[in-house]
Amino acid sequence: MSLIAVGVDLCDMRRIERMLARFDQRFMERVFTPQERAWAEKRCGQARIGTYAKRWAAKEACAKALGTGFAQGVTHAQIGVENLPGGQPVLCLSGVAAQRLAQITPPGSTARLALSLTDEVPYAFAQVFISAVPG
C-alpha cells in the first residue's frame, strides 16, 4: 500500500451553526447528501451542529486530498460521509470527485480512503488519507 495524498480541515462549529440558521434547507441540500442530513437530524442541539460540522470538515479535507479543492467540477455534495453499522465514518464519492480519485490512483491499484473525525466544541476536525492498494 502506498500513500497518494492527505487532507485535513479544522471547522469552527459556530460558523456551521450560523449557516444553518441563515440558509437552512437551501444550505443543507446544496452541501449535504440525504444520508448525511438524516444522520444529523437524528441528533439535537450541539450534537446536531457537531455532526454537520464534522461532515463539512471531511468534505474540505477530502477535496484537499484530491488536489482540487472545490474547483474543477468537484462539489460538496459529491463527497458524502456515511457510517458503517458500527459507527465508523467512511467517504463515498460521486461525480467529478470520484473521477478525480480515479485519475490520481496509479494504474493497477485500487484507491482506499481513510477518514478520521473528531470534535471538541467549538471545533470539528477531519483527516483524510488516500492510499493505493496493488491489484
Side-chain angles (χ1 to χ4, degrees):
M1 182 168 24
S2 62
L3 184 64
I4 297 173
V6 177
V8 299
D9 191 69
L10 180 67
C11 173
D12 189 325
M13 296 163 82
R14 297 167 292 195
R15 177 177 175 227
I16 300 303
E17 187 172 27
R18 286 191 303 269
M19 296 295 283
L20 288 168
R22 184 172 178 193
F23 298 110
D24 194 36
Q25 283 301 117
R26 194 171 74 183
F27 172 69
M28 286 194 290
E29 289 173 6
R30 185 176 64 85
V31 173
F32 301 103
T33 67
Q35 294 86 353
E36 289 172 315
R37 293 192 306 267
W39 186 263
E41 292 302 319
K42 288 192 268 184
R43 286 146 183 75
C44 300
Q46 199 60 45
R48 177 178 169 266
I49 300 303
T51 299
Y52 279 121
K54 284 184 282 190
R55 277 144 184 77
W56 174 274
K59 293 166 185 286
E60 293 280 343
C62 185
K64 291 171 185 174
L66 290 172
T68 58
F70 290 104
Q72 302 176 30
V74 174
T75 66
H76 287 87
Q78 295 171 357
I79 302 169
V81 178
E82 295 182 8
N83 292 82
L84 298 178
Q88 178 186 351
V90 293
L91 287 164
C92 299
L93 277 53
S94 63
V96 177
Q99 292 170 6
R100 175 64 182 159
L101 178 61
Q103 289 172 349
I104 65 173
T105 303
S109 297
T110 301
R112 295 280 187 252
L113 296 159
L115 171 63
S116 182
L117 301 172
T118 191
D119 63 341
E120 180 68 39
V121 176
Y123 300 107
F125 178 81
Q127 186 169 31
V128 173
F129 290 93
I130 302 176
S131 301
V133 178

